[in-house]
Amino acid sequence: MAGHGARGRSGGRPTLEEVAARAGVGRGTVSRVINGSPRVSDATRAAVEAAVAELGYVPNTAARALAANRTDAIALVVPEPETRFFAEPYFSDMLKGVGAELSETEMQLLLIFAGSDRERRRLAQYLAAHRVDGVLLVSVHADDPLPDMLSQLEIPAVISGPRSAAETLASVDSDNFGGARSAVEHLLSRGRRSIAHITGRLDVYGAQRRVDGYRAALRDAGHEVDEQLIEAGDFTEEGGRRAMAELLRRRPDLDAVFAGSDVTAAGARQVLREAGRRIPDDVALVGYDDSAIARHMEPPLTSVRQPIEEMGRAMIDLLLNEIADRRPAASRGLDRHQVVLATELVERASS
Amino acid sequence: MAGHGARGRSGGRPTLEEVAARAGVGRGTVSRVINGSPRVSDATRAAVEAAVAELGYVPNTAARALAANRTDAIALVVPEPETRFFAEPYFSDMLKGVGAELSETEMQLLLIFAGSDRERRRLAQYLAAHRVDGVLLVSVHADDPLPDMLSQLEIPAVISGPRSAAETLASVDSDNFGGARSAVEHLLSRGRRSIAHITGRLDVYGAQRRVDGYRAALRDAGHEVDEQLIEAGDFTEEGGRRAMAELLRRRPDLDAVFAGSDVTAAGARQVLREAGRRIPDDVALVGYDDSAIARHMEPPLTSVRQPIEEMGRAMIDLLLNEIADRRPAASRGLDRHQVVLATELVERASS
DNA sequence: ATCACTTGTGGGAGCGCTCCCACACTACCT
DNA sequence: AGGTAGTGTGGGAGCGCTCCCACAAGTGAT
């Protein structure tokens, strides 16, 4: 017996070779047809396609992956527990964009949660085995080792929300600076003059950019920035309450608040109410994210919308380019791939 | 030059062969160590493991898949659009159980949405290419061609919620019969005598079983079943309203309602209120699913809880067995693999 | 001592592709 | 006529594993 040569014969899935025999051509030619190479005559192509159809041929992915050294799969890595993934519409919107953009291609999307340490180790193993051609990274914290690991393994990756202005990975972001600026400009145009800002977690780059945008809007309008009106929050409701109380103590005369997130705004709103301030009559309130909270708040919250679905699409675009570029040892690091998408101010009754 | 032999050499990932050379053993031996075969001496095993560690060897999945004809991946197929997946806690709970059970193994989980026709076609192609070793099917409609396709392709599959009593696929279900019976027994024990039932969609097997359980509970308690007290619903809120109105018209004296789902119960509750019936004083109400709706209803709804997370775990157990069994052309179809898990009645103020 | 197992090991063959070289042909220039 | 490209095609080699056969060496019963 020659090895295990007969394994899986007899009625198994047809192979390239069998298609070639049926079409009366060579293996290489069938491969070219399957992969859409232009160097095939129309007659031959038709013959091969007929054979493929008759035999119900479907390429063996494992063989292709082995020979071509690629997997035709990319991973969306969520460094959070499943629970948060389902709780936040952010991920669902992002996934929608990613899925839509990917449906044009042959790429398979894998969704990988890496919330626990255990899961992180599994993921590391998984990536080390190069089981995907590229990685989409969402909601990565500043000190996460994941991005560096990906660089080390030379796996193409795109991050949503760069970790800093010096981000080395390809990244997609919304225009935090512009979004914050438009929120403040909106408040100014409504005649507000004493506009406070409750920031997000300042170790998140996007939160820093929002502070920058806040400052820029004021300065561009000829106002000077009063540091007393800026108080650090952390994206949470509790943080919003704390910061609002502090701001109210320091500057009881403030007439507007721009919060770093909708959740923060919800906390601020509560404190404002308790202090007897009416919204928007006494104090105008603007949030960030345009989440469900914003729509359901009383009064409905003006908020800055980020185009999350489009961000997902853009991430796929970038990633597919990275993957394609890598094939013929491309001009790496020449042009940095950073995409920034515009935000939109959604005006509601709170301002 | 011999072919493209040098491709990927120089600093590429180490191969089995290199590990073997380093450890001073043959290829076969390394393979045995990697795959945990017991037929290796302790000394040799240690030497190989050292070499693996030194070289940072990680097996090439594609090569393994090609040689062994398996993929080490299973798919969780959701024949719904992403939106519903995120909206319903059912999926999130199930995923939690599946993930937990799978984390013990080397299997990779793929999440595949097949809501649209386009996505369905892609899925069919995907499955035909045998890109997974097994499939988990959730929330499948009675007339879905997917299960048959899987049988045809001889891909191991487990379905959550059998399509009928004659389900051929391995399946995991909660005890719909017992759940319904315990709900009705509960109402009887509370002194209710005229207990109505709003069914789920009767083309869903689980809904039929609930009706059976309802009947059995009444009969076992020595009551005869009044068909006038059974009205078909469809799991929706609107269906609940319609059915409740009808029941109230037919039997204005009813003093309890067992609804086929919490959502249905919500619809029924609304109609009861409008008819001036107090819950639970005039009419007791029990739902099914123990969803968030149940907890937040006014008054909180007594409901039958299904152990969804455990169902996820059980599905993985079954599927892994199916996959293992299939390898050596096993005794197929002898014992049908049907698991039924117990439900639990969660009593709240509505009954 | 002989036979029969058992245990551990090496390595050939093969999984089904892609890549690339070689080789026909054809077409168009000198 | 000879050269030089360009097109289409066939098929060898190799991707990195697993499977299995062959065989060495040890162990015990006869």
Side-chain angles (χ1 to χ4, degrees), chain B residues 224-235:
Chain B
E224 75 180 63
V225 178
D226 178 353
E227 298 296 331
Q228 294 283 315
L229 281 170
I230 302 180
E231 178 65 21
D234 54 6
F235 289 129

Side-chain angles (χ1 to χ4, degrees), chain B residues 50-66:
Chain B
V52 165
E54 286 165 31
L55 262 38
Y57 171 75
V58 179
N60 180 320
T61 339
R64 174 177 284 178
L66 178 58

Side-chain angles (χ1 to χ4, degrees), chain A residues 3-4 7 24-29 32 38-41 44 66-67:
Chain A
H4 53 171
R7 198 176 62 206
V25 301
R27 234 171 44 252
T29 303
R32 277 182 283 266
R39 312 196 110 16
V40 181
S41 71
T44 309
L66 178 59

Side-chain angles (χ1 to χ4, degrees), chain A residues 95-118:
Chain A
L95 193 58
K96 211 188 292 178
V98 165
E101 194 71 12
L102 219 46
S103 72
E104 317 283 304
T105 73
E106 287 293 281
M107 284 279 182
Q108 169 68 14
L109 178 70
L110 311 186
L111 194 55
I112 301 186
F113 299 100
S116 68
D117 268 4
R118 193 198 163 83

Side-chain angles (χ1 to χ4, degrees), chain B residues 9 12-23 51 55:
Chain B
R9 264 289 57 71
R13 300 164 53 197
T15 70
L16 239 208
E17 192 101 40
E18 286 161 28
V19 174
R22 175 100 178 199
L55 262 38

